[in-house]
Amino acid sequence: MPALIQFASGAPGIKYRIDQRYLSIGRDTAENDICLPCAFVSKHHAIIEIVEEEEGLAFYLQDLASTNHTYVNDRAIVRTRLHDGDMIRIGKNSFKFDASGPLPLLDAVELDFELPGAGETPSRTWNFSRRLRLIATE
């Protein structure tokens, strides 16, 4: 299964499996899938998203406008596609993206149908929207 492997003093350490569509990374324990208790990590620092593309699953890393940025292969990023072996730096934490192993099975995206408002014609206002679980930023 694809994973982030955290490095400490140059040696591999904790392995975080990427097995869900969105994986949030940040300093806050309650609201992130990967918690990095470091002063250089923002409360909501970054997110890894698995995207279904024509050639298969792709993994994207997105910085969430963090104070100290997110780096892939020593380059600050806003959003980038991850490739096997990419080195990621978040605060003072280093990770290696490991794309080996079987790909995760993802749940279908939950869809929500919005009903028309008062005074609107139902035939024209059936809106179809995707509601994805993202980080709650309050």
Side-chain angles (χ1 to χ4, degrees):
M1 175 137 331
L4 288 181
I5 301 169
Q6 188 171 17
F7 281 74
S9 301
I14 301 171
K15 186 173 187 175
Y16 298 98
R17 293 182 8 195
I18 303 172
D19 58 358
Q20 56 194 34
R21 194 173 297 271
Y22 296 97
L23 191 73
S24 58
I25 304 168
R27 189 179 66 240
D28 189 354
T29 307
E31 297 180 12
N32 291 293
D33 299 305
I34 297 176
C35 178
L36 303 173
C38 170
F40 296 101
V41 176
S42 295
K43 187 174 179 180
H44 301 288
H45 198 100
I47 191 165
I48 293 179
E49 177 184 13
I50 302 175
V51 178
E52 297 176 52
E53 296 182 342
E54 287 182 20
E55 62 273 1
L57 295 180
F59 297 82
Y60 286 87
L61 176 64
Q62 180 174 341
D63 183 80
L64 298 175
S66 64
T67 303
N68 292 309
H69 310 291
T70 301
Y71 295 85
V72 174
N73 300 324
D74 291 323
R75 186 177 52 97
I77 60 104
V78 174
R79 180 177 165 88
T80 191
R81 184 174 181 172
L82 294 173
H83 298 88
D84 190 35
D86 280 347
M87 293 302 294
I88 300 165
R89 186 165 38 91
I90 298 173
K92 292 189 174 190
N93 302 275
S94 296
F95 301 88
K96 180 179 180 182
F97 176 65
D98 178 12
S100 65
L103 294 175
L105 297 174
L106 301 175
D107 293 332
V109 175
E110 184 178 327
L111 300 176
D112 189 16
F113 292 96
E114 296 177 4
L115 297 175
E120 296 177 356
T121 308
S123 61
R124 284 198 266 152
T125 58
W126 278 98
N127 291 326
F128 174 86
S129 65
R130 298 173 90 170
R131 306 231 180 188
L132 302 175
R133 183 183 72 82
L134 293 175
I135 296 174
T137 53
E138 295 181 15

